[in-house]
């Protein structure tokens, strides 16, 4: 994937901030681009007050307060930076909640997107700081189980207040000691499993992705829910993948679900996420399986679940509220940092998902 100018700017700013100053030729070699490109980038960044230029070199601005002041809105409120892995689907609502809370507080919110590349999160955050952010809302682009350990030290070392959102760090790590606001996805999975069991089904099977912290938390929550309810899974978790990216693997997952229904080993399922769930329902119909007649189904995320031909019952994490609470907490931290009050204990805020009952599970919605 070709690097955008904004991403290159973030890397350039990170290098200069780390070194204090650097020659344009050295930056070109480090960034893997031509000196002409770097000179053009430097001119742009210097014009915005993010870098100082001196005789073929660039340096970090001496007066960072001026950068922050230049970035403030008309109300003079704080500048908040937000690092998110995506600006669509799940995180669109998180960002919306943060933006609304920032506006109410008279703050300005600026955004960087990592596109689920955790190795580049630090550079994106450096770009936010260079743009004048006085505090950060951080949702790292972690995807795999080992990512929190591999890509977290820089967050705990940030020079400004930070709030982690929708991410669970390694217990006992340095990052575990900072403020965070998260949805309780394990609770969400329990809501879904319990609802299906109360409708008279045995243990539902799980079809889920494994490429995001939410997916991993849903998998863990499913196992915990079965333990709480004294149930055994009808079969191993079916690995889900995006149909448009891996059509063969998606078809294999649907066939596995179809076989479980045809054999009678499962009459209910939980599917993460609801985009996948809609496509699964469409394909199952082509194979002769009807929802909810033959299979009661609950989706996870509730982004577009209500728009399916048969509206899908779904677990809805409080996405917008996560953004709102995290922003309010960060604004409060910044306010206390400016005042004379003592530092309050750090907070881990956990918000509970809701189950939105629709037609796909076969329950009455009246």
């Amino acid at each position: 994937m070709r690097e955008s100018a904004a991403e290159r700017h973030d890397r350039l700013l990170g290098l200069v901030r780390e070194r204090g100053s650097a020659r344009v030729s050295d930056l070109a070699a480090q960034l893997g681009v031509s000196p002409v490109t770097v000179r053009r980038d430097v001119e742009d960044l210097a014009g915005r007050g993010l870098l100082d230029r001196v005789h073929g070199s660039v340096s970090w601005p001496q007066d960072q307060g001026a950068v922050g002041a230049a970035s403030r809105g008309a109300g003079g409120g704080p500048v908040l930076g937000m690092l998110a892995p995506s600006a669509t689907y799940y995180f669109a609502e998180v960002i919306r909640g943060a933006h609304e809370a920032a506006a109410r507080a008279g703050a300005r919110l600026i955004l960087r997107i990592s596109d689920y590349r955790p190795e580049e999160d630090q550079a994106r955050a450096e770009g936010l700081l260079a743009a004048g952010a006085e505090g950060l809302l951080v949702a790292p682009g972690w995807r795999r189980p080992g990512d929190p350990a591999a890509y977290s030290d820089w967050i705990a070392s940030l020079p400004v207040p930070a709030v982690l959102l929708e991410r669970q760090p390694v217990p006992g790590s340095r990052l575990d000691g900072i403020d965070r606001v998260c949805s309780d996805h394990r609770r969400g999975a329990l809501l879904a499993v319990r609802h299906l069991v109360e409708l008279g089904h045995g243990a539902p099977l799980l079809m889920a992705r494994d490429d995001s912290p939410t997916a991993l938390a849903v998998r863990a929550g499913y196992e915990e829910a079965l333990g709480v309810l004294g149930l055994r899974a009808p079969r191993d978790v079916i690995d889900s993948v995006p149909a448009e990216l891996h059509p063969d693997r998606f078809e294999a997952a649907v066939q596995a679900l179809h076989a479980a229904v045809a054999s009678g080993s499962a009459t209910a399922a939980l599917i993460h996420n609801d985009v996948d769930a809609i496509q699964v329902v469409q394909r199952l119909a082509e194979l002769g399986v009807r929802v909810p007649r033959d299979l009661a189904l609950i989706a996870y995320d509730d982004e577009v679940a209500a728009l399916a031909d048969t509206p899908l019952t779904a677990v809805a994490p409080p996405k917008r509220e996560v953004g709102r609470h995290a922003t309010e907490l960060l604004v409060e931290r910044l306010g206390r940092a400016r005042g004379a009050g003592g530092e309050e204990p750090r907070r881990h805020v956990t918000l509970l998902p809701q189950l939105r009952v629709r037609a796909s599970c076969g329950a009455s919605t009246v």
Side-chain angles (χ1 to χ4, degrees), residues 124-350:
R124 302 288 86 79
E126 295 282 3
L128 290 168
L129 294 174
E134 301 164 68
L136 296 183
L137 301 165
V138 182
W142 300 337
R143 303 189 70 167
R144 302 299 179 188
D147 285 349
Y151 303 106
S152 64
D153 286 348
W154 67 271
I155 304 173
S157 301
L158 283 167
V160 298
V163 178
L164 194 67
L165 64 167
E166 288 295 35
R167 295 293 184 260
Q168 295 283 352
V170 176
S173 65
R174 291 178 62 205
L175 194 55
D176 198 27
I178 74 168
D179 292 316
R180 69 172 181 256
V181 180
C182 299
S183 300
D184 189 344
H185 296 302
R186 297 189 178 206
R187 169 71 179 178
L190 175 60
L191 288 176
V193 173
R194 177 178 285 157
H195 183 71
L196 291 168
V197 170
E198 289 175 347
L199 291 176
H201 297 280
L205 60 76
L206 175 66
M207 175 185 286
R209 295 190 185 186
D210 64 356
D211 59 354
S212 73
T214 299
L216 297 175
V218 170
R219 285 171 172 255
Y222 169 76
E223 295 296 335
E224 288 185 4
L226 294 181
V228 167
L229 299 174
L231 303 171
R232 295 186 63 180
R235 55 150 293 158
D236 293 340
V237 174
I238 299 174
D239 295 328
S240 177
V241 294
E244 65 277 10
L245 295 180
H246 305 287
D248 292 342
R249 292 171 59 193
F250 176 80
E251 178 65 18
V254 173
Q255 291 293 339
L257 177 56
H258 176 263
V261 175
S263 69
S265 62
T267 60
L270 170 62
I271 299 181
H272 174 273
N273 55 42
D274 48 291
V275 174
D276 290 0
I278 288 176
Q279 294 173 312
V280 166
V281 170
Q282 292 170 346
R283 182 68 183 110
L284 285 176
E286 295 171 355
L287 296 171
V289 175
R290 298 289 186 268
V291 171
R293 186 192 68 189
D294 305 310
L295 178 71
L297 189 147
I298 295 180
Y300 201 100
D301 270 4
D302 202 32
E303 291 298 325
V304 292
L307 305 180
D309 290 348
T310 300
L312 303 182
T313 295
V315 177
K319 300 175 282 289
R320 187 177 296 197
E321 288 76 13
V322 166
R324 175 173 65 82
H325 280 277
T327 302
E328 291 172 348
L329 178 53
L330 182 58
V331 169
E332 180 183 334
R333 291 294 185 208
L334 290 171
R336 294 188 68 84
R338 292 191 185 115
E343 184 175 350
E344 288 190 343
R346 300 296 174 186
R347 287 180 235 167
H348 292 171
V349 180
T350 302

Side-chain angles (χ1 to χ4, degrees), residues 68-136:
S71 302
R72 290 179 182 276
V79 179
L80 311 179
M82 184 174 189
L83 175 66
S86 170
T88 60
Y89 288 108
Y90 192 101
F91 271 94
E93 280 296 291
V94 178
I95 293 168
R96 186 171 292 112
H99 184 260
E100 291 169 351
R104 285 193 295 270
R108 180 185 173 215
L109 184 70
I110 53 179
L111 179 67
R112 288 284 196 281
I113 304 299
S114 71
D115 196 27
Y116 286 98
R117 288 179 285 181
E119 67 276 8
E120 298 184 8
D121 281 344
Q122 186 172 2
R124 302 288 86 79
E126 295 282 3
L128 290 168
L129 294 174
E134 301 164 68
L136 296 183

Side-chain angles (χ1 to χ4, degrees), residues 12 15-17 19-27 42 52 54-60:
L12 192 158
L15 289 170
V16 178
R17 186 172 185 272
R19 300 176 184 180
S21 64
R23 294 181 59 83
V24 169
S25 58
D26 293 339
L27 290 170
V42 165
D52 289 337
V54 182
H55 305 304
S57 297
V58 293
S59 61
W60 195 249

